[in-house]
Amino acid sequence: MMGRFFGGVHPDYNKDLSRGKPIETMPVPGRLVVYLSQNLGAPSKAVVKKGDAVLKGQVIAESGGFVSTPVHAPVSGVVAAIDTFPHPVGTDLPAIVIEPDGNDRWADGCDVERDVDALSSAEIRDLVHDGGLVGMGGATFPTHVKLSPPPEKPIDVLVLNGAECEPYLSADHRMMVEHAEEILDGAALFARVIEVGRVIVGIEKNKPDAIAAMRERAAGREGFEVAALDVVYPQGAEKQLIFAVTGRRVPAGGLPMDVGVLVQNVATCRAAREAVRFNRPLIERVLTVTGRAIAEPKNLLVRVGTPFEDIVAFCGGMSGETGKIISGGPMMGVSQYSLAAAVTKGTSGIVLLRRDEVAQFVSDACIRCGRCVEACPMRLDPSTLSILVERMRFDDAGETGVNDCMECGCCAYVCPSRRPLVQHFRRAKAELRAKARKAG
Amino acid sequence: MVSASPHVHDGRTVAGIMKLVVLALAPATLFSFYIFGLAAVRVVGVSILSAVVFEALFQRIAGRPVRIGDWSAVLTGLLLALNLPATAPWWLVVVGAFFAIVIAKQLYGGLGYNPFNPALVGRVVLLLSFPVQMTAGWVAPSRWGMDAVTTATPLTRLREALLETGSVEGFAMTRDQVLDLVIGNRAGCLGETSVILLLIGGVFLIAKKVISWHIPVAFIASVWIFAGIAHLADPSRFVDASFHVITGGLFIGALYMATDYVTSPLAKRGMLIFGAGCGIITMVIRLFGAYPEGVSFAILLMNAATPLIDRYTKPTVFGAVKRAAAS
């Protein structure tokens, strides 16, 4: 076990604000905004219309393609509108608005236990798809796609991502402390689908109680182990995590399956158990509401579609002057222009920074200090790449590896010139994609 | 407020880094005031002031934002001053600052875009254009006394001895002489004399992670090894290696000039090559060239090689080796 990878940074973790708070269930809000874009890949297609009555767990939008998932009603009620709303990604996107009827009644067939032992691999995979499962660490990649590796890429290790390396967030931490058994149950289902005998849970050492809880529950399961990882961001990035727990290097431009590994977030594992065993589709998730600008930081179980403003109110409102509201963690999350945005399947947290914590800086020329080169966990040269982008030399940026950038933000975190490095790389990747489409 | 990720930062700024380097140079600067007196204060003051004024003026005339607040001009002015003799007339300092800031830095696009270390360009232009004012006026340490005695730097004396007698015998150092050289009780540029104070500042910068050890260690080690081999080959022509390490501008060059971010390589491996190159060129010039001292020329020449070194030492993308092997 390597324990760590190349590069990385040590931001202030600020997890003390919320890590001691047990997961609390938030009441259903007065109105839920359920986006059709709940996953990476194609948005789902609405199958209900305004005025329709829906039941909890009922499909309200179906898959828009193979790399897509269905979306379910998070509550029983009435479809009040289908319109565009501010999405946490930063643009307005279509959503189905549901007004709860107060009964919170499940649709037929939902919330019924199945005999999981009798299920075949293919059946489990289908149930994972039908349950609307996506990667809940934030990437929202449809889970059933990950569970369908081509036969020429045999997988022998399942890695559970419990690193939770983003500062502030503690949702996965609490989940592991409180629901270790269920996470491992879900992982066992995944292991069955892809036929692996070895399951390694990677957890950063700053969560000793989570490590203990997971070790205790993993002890009775054959092939399961828990790896305590160094505390360094981005320890939870897929390629870095795989290297840290197995020593295997995912090829540049490649996928975990290229080295025989499948990675699943711990929250996704628990959701899989719910969906497969109890036929409860993915309609709620745990997230952390934290930061020094929220009155009472909490770890909350909320319905998908719950508006941020209701969550903030449930946590006692904002305290002091709020400078920035981030969906996700401060390293990779998206700052919000509206509290009307609502929770998606990938919302791992809402971080509220105080105004005095949000420093604004004028970005300056690169002084070639090399700090970004040292920090980049992908061993890229952000300095050179960003200068290429400034000069609009996108092809050269592509050859210099910009597509291997995972936008973890380590480079920008250490840049003394405050250069918008991640934005540069996103732009270069977008330009290269556009070009490939045109050629394609 | 809406902006792109990441939303947190480690807090280090360009100005903060520059200030740390200035702070690291403070002991050597104060020591120069102590041994060379008011003359040194004057050179440092004129140099920093004219560097900052040139930077502000040029940025204003060129329509660029005035960024003297980043402290880079202050540092350049200080480094230039520390590379001049205490007897440098005020106009010489101003001309040096002009070349450093306007010609070597701003005409190339300002901070970050200059291929050569600005302070060294200023110094070398003066050395080549005004050799008399730059080298004839070395004064022996005179404290605050005004009756400065003209003398030669240790490297100049070494060269003169070699030219006159064809031998360096008599340059074996006593312990007191070594101590004087290390403490800085000798003639030379303002900031190059005290090896020990420069080293303290350098260790501070390494501890603060402003610079890494790679360039200074490679630089000093290669000078020491090169000089050592030469001395072993012909002790009558080449002095003890330690003499070369503790005299001249090696320490200020290796710790504060060669480590300039803008003009040195990005990757650690590149830094080692860069430092070693500096050391080798320094020794080639010192032993076989026309100048007694070669540190400035060596660094500028290696500055020119930096883009090439960067190209061949850039980090390999994570996982790229494996892919190459597999395909």
Side-chain angles (χ1 to χ4, degrees):
Chain A
M1 222 269 300
M2 314 287 133
R4 70 160 300 170
F5 51 90
F6 175 90
V9 294
H10 294 94
D12 287 338
Y13 261 37
N14 285 307
K15 296 198 187 238
D16 285 343
L17 293 168
S18 61
R19 75 167 132 215
K21 307 280 181 74
I23 299 167
E24 196 177 327
T25 303
M26 180 175 157
V28 178
R31 200 180 72 138
L32 292 95
V33 180
V34 186
Y35 303 101
L36 295 176
S37 294
Q38 294 282 354
N39 57 259
L40 205 71
S44 312
K45 293 186 193 124
V47 293
V48 291
K49 55 186 189 305
K50 193 178 167 187
D52 284 359
V54 294
L55 290 170
K56 183 160 122 178
Q58 174 186 333
V59 173
I60 54 173
E62 59 190 20
S63 290
F66 175 64
V67 187
S68 185
T69 56
V71 178
H72 306 79
V75 69
S76 65
V78 176
V79 176
I82 300 181
D83 205 347
T84 58
F85 285 87
H87 190 288
V89 296
T91 46
D92 287 9
L93 288 173
I96 299 167
V97 178
I98 298 175
E99 271 169 12
D101 57 17
N103 300 327
D104 207 19
R105 196 155 67 85
W106 282 104
D108 283 349
C110 286
D111 196 29
V112 176
E113 185 162 2
R114 277 199 195 91
D115 177 12
V116 285
D117 295 335
L119 296 170
S120 72
S121 287
E123 283 169 329
I124 296 175
R125 190 160 46 228
D126 288 346
L127 288 169
V128 163
H129 167 267
D130 297 345
L133 260 68
V134 300
M136 292 170 80
T140 66
F141 190 75
T143 305
H144 67 275
V145 182
K146 274 190 169 184
L147 292 176
S148 317
E152 71 273 17
K153 309 257 184 191
I155 289 174
D156 61 347
V157 183
L158 170 62
V159 173
L160 299 199
N161 189 350
E164 198 164 46
C165 60
E166 268 275 6
Y168 288 94
L169 304 187
S170 59
D172 288 350
H173 182 172
R174 293 308 312 177
M175 177 93 75
M176 290 186 284
V177 170
E178 298 176 38
H179 302 285
E181 187 76 36
E182 294 154 59
I183 291 167
L184 296 175
D185 273 353
L189 289 170
F190 288 147
R192 257 175 69 194
V193 175
I194 50 172
E195 292 170 6
V196 303
R198 193 161 170 230
V199 181
I200 311 172
V201 193
I203 306 172
E204 278 190 330
K205 282 176 193 157
N206 59 355
K207 308 167 187 63
D209 47 348
I211 292 171
M214 294 293 280
R215 279 216 169 116
E216 189 193 328
R217 301 297 175 146
R221 297 170 187 259
E222 203 184 319
F224 280 62
E225 60 194 280
V226 176
L229 308 175
D230 283 0
V231 181
V232 53
Y233 176 87
Q235 185 64 273
E238 222 168 43
K239 292 180 179 186
Q240 281 61 35
L241 179 68
I242 290 169
F243 182 71
V245 300
T246 68
R248 300 180 192 179
R249 290 167 198 265
V250 177
L255 293 169
M257 67 167 89
D258 294 328
V259 291
V261 179
L262 173 71
V263 180
Q264 292 289 357
N265 172 271
V266 288
T268 314
C269 292
R270 177 165 183 250
R273 171 186 184 268
E274 297 292 297
V276 175
R277 183 158 161 195
F278 296 101
N279 203 18
R280 292 194 281 249
L282 177 48
I283 56 164
E284 59 186 9
R285 67 157 297 141
V286 176
L287 53 76
T288 305
V289 191
T290 183
R292 291 185 181 83
I294 190 85
E296 204 188 331
K298 288 174 189 282
N299 295 296
L300 287 179
L301 177 67
V302 304
R303 300 288 165 91
V304 169
T306 306
F308 286 6
E309 54 202 344
D310 293 87
I311 296 175
V312 169
F314 185 70
C315 294
M318 297 185 211
S319 67
E321 213 179 341
T322 306
K324 207 181 228 184
I325 299 160
I326 303 157
S327 168
M331 293 301 289
M332 290 189 76
V334 184
S335 58
Q336 301 294 305
Y337 61 91
S338 167
L339 273 176
V343 171
T344 72
K345 293 175 183 176
T347 310
S348 50
I350 303 171
V351 180
L352 294 93
L353 300 180
R354 266 192 338 234
R355 185 163 292 278
D356 59 321
E357 295 176 298
V358 181
Q360 265 177 294
F361 292 92
V362 186
S363 129
D364 217 326
C366 171
I367 58 167
R368 294 172 39 86
C369 65
R371 284 160 64 80
C372 57
V373 177
E374 255 177 90
C376 179
M378 292 306 293
R379 306 196 72 152
L380 296 167
D381 173 356
S383 157
T384 304
L385 279 172
S386 111
I387 291 166
L388 289 173
V389 172
E390 273 177 344
R391 294 178 183 164
M392 313 257 277
R393 287 166 58 185
F394 302 115
D395 289 336
D396 290 336
E399 272 167 43
T400 315
V402 77
N403 281 317
D404 287 304
C405 168
M406 55 172 161
E407 304 174 17
C408 66
C410 288
C411 53
Y413 176 78
V414 299
C415 178
S417 292
R418 314 285 167 143
R419 290 167 64 75
L421 297 164
V422 178
Q423 274 162 289
H424 280 166
F425 307 149
R426 282 188 191 133
R427 172 162 183 221
K429 290 200 276 188
E431 296 275 354
L432 290 169
R433 270 198 306 274
K435 198 174 164 197
R437 260 203 306 276
K438 226 181 264 170
Chain B
M1 189 189 119
V2 179
S3 64
S5 64
H7 306 287
V8 286
H9 193 277
D10 74 354
R12 190 160 273 195
T13 60
V14 172
I17 290 170
M18 298 290 170
K19 285 182 205 170
L20 282 173
V21 181
V22 170
L23 187 62
L25 282 165
T29 306
L30 294 174
F31 184 70
S32 80
F33 296 170
Y34 173 68
I35 61 169
F36 297 118
L38 281 171
V41 179
R42 184 183 50 94
V43 170
V44 170
V46 171
S47 184
I48 292 178
L49 187 69
S50 43
V52 172
V53 168
F54 280 130
E55 176 124 316
L57 273 180
F58 187 96
Q59 287 175 332
R60 174 154 292 187
I61 292 167
R64 292 183 192 150
V66 176
R67 291 275 170 83
I68 51 172
D70 67 19
W71 278 65
S72 66
V74 174
L75 179 58
T76 299
L78 177 59
L79 281 170
L80 175 67
L82 296 181
N83 277 281
L84 298 177
T87 53
W90 67 269
W91 57 266
L92 192 76
V93 181
V94 173
V95 170
F98 175 81
F99 272 94
I101 296 291
V102 177
I103 307 292
K105 184 178 173 191
Q106 289 298 337
L107 286 184
Y108 280 100
L111 180 64
Y113 298 106
N114 48 298
F116 299 103
N117 184 313
L120 280 178
V121 170
R123 175 184 196 232
V124 166
V125 166
L126 297 180
L127 196 61
L128 299 179
S129 312
F130 308 98
V132 177
Q133 288 86 344
M134 283 294 286
T135 58
W138 300 122
V139 285
S142 63
R143 304 292 144 82
W144 294 89
M146 299 304 286
D147 50 342
V149 184
T150 306
T151 182
T153 68
L155 281 172
T156 316
R157 280 190 283 121
L158 175 71
R159 170 160 302 256
E160 282 163 358
L162 188 62
L163 287 175
E164 277 165 25
T165 68
S167 157
V168 296
E169 272 154 41
F171 272 85
M173 293 178 290
T174 65
R175 189 186 298 171
D176 282 355
Q177 282 168 326
V178 172
L179 201 64
D180 269 357
L181 286 170
V182 170
I183 291 173
N185 193 20
R186 57 157 160 128
C189 292
L190 290 187
E192 72 179 27
T193 66
S194 176
V195 168
I196 189 76
L197 293 179
L198 290 168
L199 189 62
I200 289 170
V203 169
F204 168 75
L205 289 182
I206 292 170
K208 284 275 178 191
K209 299 198 169 175
V210 172
I211 61 171
S212 69
W213 58 267
H214 300 75
I215 289 175
V217 168
F219 196 159
I220 294 165
S222 65
V223 162
W224 190 76
I225 292 168
F226 195 128
I229 292 170
H231 177 66
L232 285 179
D234 188 352
S236 70
R237 275 180 58 81
F238 305 114
V239 285
D240 189 316
S242 311
F243 185 84
H244 277 291
V245 170
I246 57 179
T247 58
L250 180 60
F251 269 69
I252 190 169
L255 288 163
Y256 302 93
M257 316 285 282
T259 53
D260 170 35
Y261 293 149
V262 178
T263 56
S264 64
L266 280 166
K268 300 281 179 257
R269 208 152 48 93
M271 290 181 186
L272 290 174
I273 296 168
F274 180 89
C278 286
I280 291 165
I281 296 172
T282 297
M283 287 316 297
V284 168
I285 294 172
R286 280 189 183 181
L287 299 184
F288 311 111
Y291 284 85
E293 163 70 307
V295 169
S296 301
F297 295 105
I299 296 173
L300 287 175
L301 285 168
M302 289 309 291
N303 285 164
T306 291
L308 193 69
I309 296 173
D310 270 341
R311 174 181 294 238
Y312 289 104
T313 56
K314 75 174 180 199
T316 311
V317 176
F318 181 79
V321 179
K322 193 95 171 206
R323 179 172 58 173
S327 61

